[in-house]
Amino acid sequence: MKILAIEDEPQLLGNIKESLEKENFLVETASDYHSAIDKIFIYEYDCILLDIMLPNGNGLNILAELKKAGKNENVIIISAKDSLDDKLKGLELGADDYLTKPFHLAELNARVKAVLRRQKLDGKDTIEIANSVLDLKERTFMVDRQNIPLNRKEFDILNYFLLNKNRLVTKSALAEHVWGDNSDEADNFDFVYYQIKNLRKKLQSAHADIEIESVYGIGYKLVEK
Amino acid sequence: MKLLNQSVKYLSLSILAVITVWAVIFYFSLFNEIKSSIDEGLENSKRLIIRNAQQDSTILTKSYFDESFFAIRQIDKQTAFSVKDRYLDTVLNMQDKDDETPEPEPVRMLITAFELDGNYYELKVANSMVEEDDLVKELLSDVIWLYLTLIISIIFINNFALKKLWKPFYDFLSQLKEFRLEKNQVLPQVKTKTKEFTDLQNAVNALLRHATQTYEHQKEFIGNASHELQTPLAIATNKLELLIENGNLQNEQAENIAEVMQIIERLVRLNKSLLLLTKIENKQFLDNQTVSLNQIARSCVTDLEEIASFKGVSLSINESAELAAQMDASLANVMVSNLLRNAIFHNIANGNVSVEITETAINISNTGQPQKLDENLIFTRFYKPNSNAKGTGLGLAIVKAISVLYGFQVSYAFHDGLHNFKIDFPSA
């Protein structure tokens, strides 16, 4: 899987590259409009991460160029501007998703994988790890073909963890993903802990071969046993 | 006190003084004029009497005043020569039409002497005078009438002339009252050639332009600053996430990193809230559509149900009518969810939150601290009643800003131990 990250801030670009490489993606980078255009038209990518504000050009123009050339790469816009206008324009020009800075790396992972999975969908939409299967369409969770009932939030949490297998998911990334962007209160964390505890119990009693580990009290990691 | 009434007050006081002085002077000069005119008449009578006496000597025997108002008495030569014409004010018994019996009335009297056929006579001629107290009375009543007429005229003139003169000023004032420090506001205009008013307009407009500019700059600065902070915050968060992931940390180090991450999270939340506020105030939400607040409230309640039950707070929703508003859907969501979160997080164990939707309002009441909050402060930015609160202190400020943007009224009340937040939708 080849990903092109277009971002003018070198440190952020480095973080994105490092994080995505942990997922075994091949990551290439571009830090201005012209080099981005060059790379896009020379190589093929499975996913393009696109910053809108670029030196010597607007990221939205890159989208327009892609569309003109009939290329249908997956594009996720990354922008510091949480502006509805840009969002609508971007999605209209064929972007697949829109991520606002600052974001958690876990969130970026999840978005990239979701976009990539959508691309190669063949009727069913499931994530399979070890003896567990999460069916996103039916919203069911099976361990050894046994249906394990999960409530809505538990399902969302598990989905998020599966998209970030073996990766750190911080409590705040989880809270933001599952309980929404505009959460003003930090004491969501207790609730996150409570939900994780319940989910762990369910995984354990179903003898799933996956488990959720704590990472230094900052976050969690889903691993295969 | 209005300018109009002020000017009436000062004018009536000064006119009262002027008229009083004028009345006194007028009275004395009138009185002197009357006297001198009577004196001339007396002089004339004297000549007529002396001439008549030359033809008719019976006149010389008329020694007391009767219908013809003179008296003659013979005197010796010496006395006669010592007599000079003199006028004096005295009284005579007379009966005029309003008297029942004769009574003393003021008269003007000329005392003189003349010589006829070698005999000397003293002549007293009298003429009735105006009665002083009558004159004063008459004058006073006239003066009072004059005064009243003047005051009434002044009030009328004031009402027409002054109102007309000051109309541009009042127009200007009402424009000024409507003025808000926002972009593209038309500066108040005064429609007049009066120099003072145009000067006022220029001074006020210069001030307004300056204030608007400062306000815009400040808003822009907050917007730009929050905006510029987004990328560094992203870098910091992601760097720390990678640092932790790469492992090999002592527990103590990890704890420190966790603390730093939490601080960054707080900054991120604060920054997002500030950006949202700036966007609301800059009217950058233009995707207005008919939004069902019932739907919004229901989905917010569903979203927050689990966390509420985790906190031991029961959530209920009661819809007695359909409520819709013209607004941006995401802002509607922010508005309702901020109020709901607020009600859930500032609650007590086994407390409750109830949402009530009526035809024109949405009402959210919750149990909580038994003290009333300060309704003047809760909607201001960064207000936190207790300093250990973990929120940004912007949640309610955002609710307020959204309400102001769309002309909704948001209010707070506390009764029967319940905190009540209400949003009225006047146009609904």
Side-chain angles (χ1 to χ4, degrees):
Chain A
M1 287 281 175
K2 238 166 111 182
I3 293 175
L4 175 64
I6 306 168
E7 160 68 55
D8 63 324
E9 185 67 49
Q11 302 221 47
L12 191 60
L13 193 58
N15 290 344
I16 293 172
K17 190 170 149 74
E18 188 182 339
S19 172
L20 290 176
E21 278 172 347
K22 281 179 195 260
E23 300 287 326
N24 296 319
F25 290 120
L26 193 67
V27 185
E28 292 200 10
T29 59
S31 53
D32 65 64
Y33 182 83
H34 299 305
S35 62
I37 289 279
D38 287 350
K39 285 200 168 155
I40 284 170
F41 286 97
I42 296 170
Y43 308 106
E44 296 273 324
Y45 295 97
D46 297 286
C47 182
I48 296 170
L49 304 175
L50 178 61
D51 186 6
I52 288 188
M53 310 251 263
L54 286 173
N56 53 47
N58 189 317
L60 289 175
N61 291 342
I62 295 180
L63 262 182
E65 291 288 330
L66 272 174
K67 204 177 178 184
K68 225 177 10 187
K71 290 171 89 86
N72 58 343
E73 262 98 347
N74 296 299
V75 178
I76 299 174
I77 293 174
I78 297 173
S79 171
K81 256 209 245 164
D82 185 14
S83 132
L84 192 73
D85 228 30
D86 279 355
K87 205 170 195 161
L88 289 176
K89 229 182 265 167
L91 296 178
E92 212 171 83
L93 284 168
D96 298 83
D97 210 344
Y98 189 103
L99 192 57
T100 312
K101 286 182 205 171
F103 49 81
H104 294 283
L105 290 173
E107 188 66 33
L108 179 67
N109 262 338
R111 302 278 184 115
V112 170
K113 285 190 180 165
V115 161
L116 291 176
R117 207 179 52 231
R118 233 179 284 155
Q119 190 186 23
K120 50 170 191 184
L121 225 67
D122 44 0
K124 59 176 191 170
D125 191 4
T126 58
I127 302 173
E128 291 172 38
I129 292 176
N131 59 348
S132 311
V133 181
L134 193 71
D135 190 324
L136 297 175
K137 224 176 199 172
E138 307 291 327
R139 287 187 74 86
T140 55
F141 178 58
M142 315 255 265
V143 177
D144 294 329
R145 293 190 193 82
Q146 287 282 309
N147 188 32
I148 312 295
L150 297 180
N151 70 32
R152 214 160 40 90
K153 295 292 181 203
E154 284 166 353
F155 184 90
D156 291 341
I157 293 169
L158 190 58
N159 183 15
Y160 198 52
F161 273 122
L162 288 173
L163 290 171
N164 281 292
K165 196 179 93 178
N166 293 323
R167 298 294 305 273
L168 165 76
V169 176
T170 59
K171 283 179 186 172
S172 58
L174 199 58
E176 205 175 295
H177 181 82
V178 183
W179 287 279
D181 204 9
N182 49 3
S183 63
D184 190 26
E185 305 292 330
D187 32 18
N188 278 350
F189 284 1
D190 298 339
F191 184 49
V192 170
Y193 174 72
Y194 167 79
Q195 294 278 350
I196 298 284
K197 207 173 74 182
N198 286 349
L199 190 57
R200 273 176 174 160
K201 256 188 230 158
K202 284 186 183 175
L203 290 175
Q204 218 164 25
S205 62
H207 303 293
D209 285 333
I210 48 175
E211 66 176 351
I212 298 170
E213 284 178 354
S214 284
V215 182
Y216 302 117
I218 295 168
Y220 305 95
K221 192 198 276 187
L222 182 128
V223 292
E224 270 181 73
K225 268 184 190 165
Chain B
M1 203 188 232
K2 283 187 83 172
L3 187 75
L4 200 70
N5 303 338
Q6 297 261 36
S7 79
V8 169
K9 185 180 94 182
Y10 287 118
L11 277 175
S12 45
L13 285 177
S14 47
I15 284 176
L16 184 65
V18 169
I19 284 189
T20 311
V21 172
W22 174 85
V24 171
I25 295 169
F26 179 73
Y27 172 76
F28 284 109
S29 81
L30 185 69
F31 209 64
N32 282 335
E33 190 54 41
I34 290 169
K35 271 185 191 170
S36 75
S37 151
I38 287 174
D39 291 353
E40 276 165 27
L42 288 175
E43 178 68 29
N44 185 43
S45 304
K46 175 189 105 180
R47 286 164 197 255
L48 285 174
I49 291 163
I50 294 170
R51 208 170 61 210
N52 288 348
Q54 286 167 344
Q55 285 143 26
D56 180 4
S57 62
T58 56
I59 290 174
L60 296 172
T61 61
K62 204 169 136 1
S63 58
Y64 54 89
F65 289 93
D66 54 16
E67 84 288 345
S68 53
F69 272 110
F70 66 90
I72 296 174
R73 118 184 121 90
Q74 195 163 9
I75 48 171
D76 55 41
K77 195 177 168 185
Q78 265 88 19
T79 327
F81 277 108
S82 69
V83 168
K84 277 185 188 150
D85 280 10
R86 74 194 156 90
Y87 297 93
L88 54 106
D89 296 316
T90 178
V91 288
L92 282 179
N93 272 336
M94 283 191 280
Q95 186 175 11
D96 48 31
K97 76 171 177 211
D98 47 338
D99 300 334
E100 280 164 17
T101 52
E103 50 184 58
E105 297 279 349
V107 291
R108 187 77 174 159
M109 188 181 279
L110 168 63
I111 300 170
T112 187
F114 65 92
E115 181 261 322
L116 188 69
D117 304 332
N119 293 319
Y120 293 90
Y121 302 93
E122 183 201 56
L123 172 63
K124 288 177 177 168
V125 193
N127 197 341
S128 71
M129 268 283 289
V130 281
E131 288 177 45
E132 260 176 75
D133 53 344
D134 281 355
L135 187 65
V136 169
K137 245 188 258 169
E138 198 62 29
L139 197 65
L140 191 69
S141 99
D142 282 351
V143 161
I144 288 170
W145 278 113
L146 176 69
Y147 182 68
L148 289 178
T149 315
L150 276 174
I151 295 299
I152 289 164
S153 327
I154 284 167
I155 290 172
F156 271 101
I157 292 166
N158 256 342
N159 263 311
F160 288 105
L162 275 189
K163 259 195 184 159
K164 196 172 153 49
L165 280 176
W166 283 94
K167 190 176 179 295
F169 177 81
Y170 288 114
D171 283 350
F172 187 66
L173 196 65
S174 72
Q175 287 178 60
L176 209 54
K177 278 182 191 161
E178 294 294 308
F179 191 86
R180 296 287 173 270
L181 285 179
E182 275 158 20
K183 251 185 194 162
N184 303 328
Q185 269 274 6
V186 187
L187 291 173
Q189 291 292 327
V190 60
K191 286 179 208 81
T192 182
K193 284 179 182 144
T194 314
K195 188 170 176 303
E196 282 81 354
F197 293 155
T198 49
D199 281 356
L200 179 71
Q201 176 200 304
N202 293 339
V204 166
N205 285 358
L207 192 66
L208 287 181
R209 267 194 294 272
H210 181 69
T212 310
Q213 222 172 43
T214 314
Y215 178 71
E216 288 302 327
H217 283 169
Q218 192 213 347
K219 253 188 357 189
E220 224 176 270
F221 176 76
I222 297 173
N224 286 345
S226 331
H227 201 88
E228 290 300 320
L229 279 172
Q230 300 280 70
T231 306
L233 284 171
I235 296 169
T237 315
N238 297 349
K239 275 236 146 93
L240 290 177
E241 282 172 346
L242 287 171
L243 180 64
I244 293 165
E245 240 188 339
N246 294 341
N248 301 325
L249 294 174
Q250 307 280 321
N251 273 341
E252 201 183 320
Q253 289 171 319
E255 266 170 39
N256 283 332
I257 294 172
E259 275 170 27
V260 175
M261 274 183 93
Q262 270 173 26
I263 292 164
I264 296 174
E265 286 300 325
R266 238 171 91 181
L267 274 176
V268 168
R269 274 198 305 274
L270 193 63
N271 205 42
K272 277 188 179 168
S273 301
L274 278 177
L275 269 177
L276 182 63
L277 259 177
T278 315
K279 275 166 73 179
I280 294 167
E281 287 176 351
N282 286 341
K283 301 194 170 64
Q284 283 170 356
F285 288 89
L286 295 164
D287 189 28
N288 293 343
Q289 46 185 293
T290 307
V291 174
S292 159
L293 286 149
N294 301 61
Q295 245 171 47
I296 298 266
R298 275 197 298 266
S299 83
C300 284
V301 166
T302 320
D303 271 350
L304 292 165
E305 231 160 25
E306 285 158 319
I307 197 157
S309 77
F310 169 71
K311 298 205 118 225
V313 172
S314 69
L315 261 177
S316 65
I317 181 162
N318 176 16
E319 301 165 65
S320 63
E322 280 295 319
L323 176 61
Q326 276 293 320
M327 66 187 298
D328 184 275
S330 65
L331 285 190
N333 197 49
V334 169
M335 187 172 77
V336 176
S337 105
N338 274 8
L339 284 178
L340 259 180
R341 281 167 198 273
N342 208 48
I344 293 168
F345 285 105
H346 298 107
N347 218 310
I348 47 172
N350 300 320
N352 63 67
V353 173
S354 68
V355 183
E356 204 188 307
I357 298 174
T358 65
E359 256 172 60
T360 58
I362 180 162
N363 227 317
I364 294 174
S365 48
N366 64 284
T367 50
Q369 295 300 313
Q371 297 92 23
K372 187 181 195 300
L373 299 165
D374 190 333
E375 65 256 60
N376 296 319
L377 289 176
I378 45 171
F379 293 107
T380 54
R381 294 176 187 191
F382 302 117
Y383 171 71
K384 292 178 196 173
N386 45 336
S387 54
N388 58 359
K390 288 174 190 155
T392 55
L394 288 171
L396 286 176
I398 290 171
V399 172
K400 177 84 183 178
I402 296 172
S403 309
V404 169
L405 176 66
Y406 290 108
F408 307 149
Q409 259 105 50
V410 56
S411 57
Y412 165 78
F414 180 74
H415 40 76
D416 303 335
L418 288 177
H419 299 273
N420 185 297
F421 287 89
K422 186 180 180 195
I423 303 174
D424 279 293
F425 298 83
S427 57

